Amino acid sequence: EVQLVESGGGLVQPGRSLRLSCAASGFIFDDHAMHWVRQAPGKGLEWVTGIGWNGAGADYADSVKGRFTISRDNAKHSIYLQMNSLRVEDTAFYYCAKDIRPSIAAAGFNGFDSWGRGTLVTVSS
Amino acid sequence: DIQMTQSPSSLSASVGDRVTITCRASQSISIYLNWYQQKPGKAPKLLIYAASSLQSGVPSRFSGSGSGTDFTLTISSLQPEDFATYYCQQSYSLLFTFGPGTKVDIK
């Protein structure tokens, strides 16, 4: 059974940093791209960033570009999201999601077939 | 950037109804379109990928169609467990934009 478990969320002041982790199990981790998707309370889904099986292909939503960095450790079956210069508008549930494809490419039939339960990040003074 | 819109934003329907949700892209995305279902307090679930391919384990009452800029998700006979919010998502560009969602609730 595929399992994705996010951790690292919490309350943080504006301008500070936070690092999220996602531990994966139940599938061949190296065979799949991975993503972070966020959802502000009561709002819709926003794709944040994704990374290919080999660490390539990472891109970022304009709202986080230059502040967030995604990485992965295939040996630990984990991905990470380093979030710097946090803003109040970054407050959201952050979901880790598994891609059906190994790489991220334009027009690549990517889709997210497994999701974690999410971790809540609250940015407030 | 590719913008996604959905209509309606919400709808009320009864069990057994045929429900259709529309998604429109701001530019042609061929068939690079996915549909997700999200229930309150739960993570999203992939229903349809590549516009019309049913994800494994998803009931056949769900179907997707369309290409270019206009897409539809159809639920042929609404079941109690289908009351949820539905999102489309484009995978044509490297920024995997979601639509704003369509909430389906009980009439």
Side-chain angles (χ1 to χ4, degrees), chain A residues 35 47 104-105 110 112, chain B residues 89-91 93-98:
Chain A
H35 301 263
W47 177 83
I104 297 175
N110 296 90
F112 308 166
Chain B
Q89 177 203 34
Q90 63 83 18
S91 61
S93 80
L94 291 178
L95 303 179
F96 298 100
T97 331
F98 287 92

Side-chain angles (χ1 to χ4, degrees), chain A residues 42-106:
Chain A
K43 302 296 184 183
L45 300 171
E46 180 186 18
W47 177 83
V48 174
T49 182
I51 188 168
W53 72 274
N54 59 355
D59 207 341
Y60 299 86
D62 290 345
S63 56
V64 307
K65 196 169 291 185
R67 301 186 298 121
F68 289 12
T69 303
I70 189 173
S71 61
R72 67 187 291 160
D73 185 335
N74 286 347
K76 294 184 177 180
H77 293 186
S78 294
I79 66 167
Y80 308 96
L81 185 65
Q82 178 66 42
M83 304 185 295
N84 298 332
S85 303
L86 282 161
R87 303 169 180 169
V88 170
E89 54 266 34
D90 294 320
T91 295
F93 286 93
Y94 284 74
Y95 294 101
C96 166
K98 167 183 165 284
D99 201 315
I100 59 179
R101 306 280 293 177
S103 300
I104 297 175

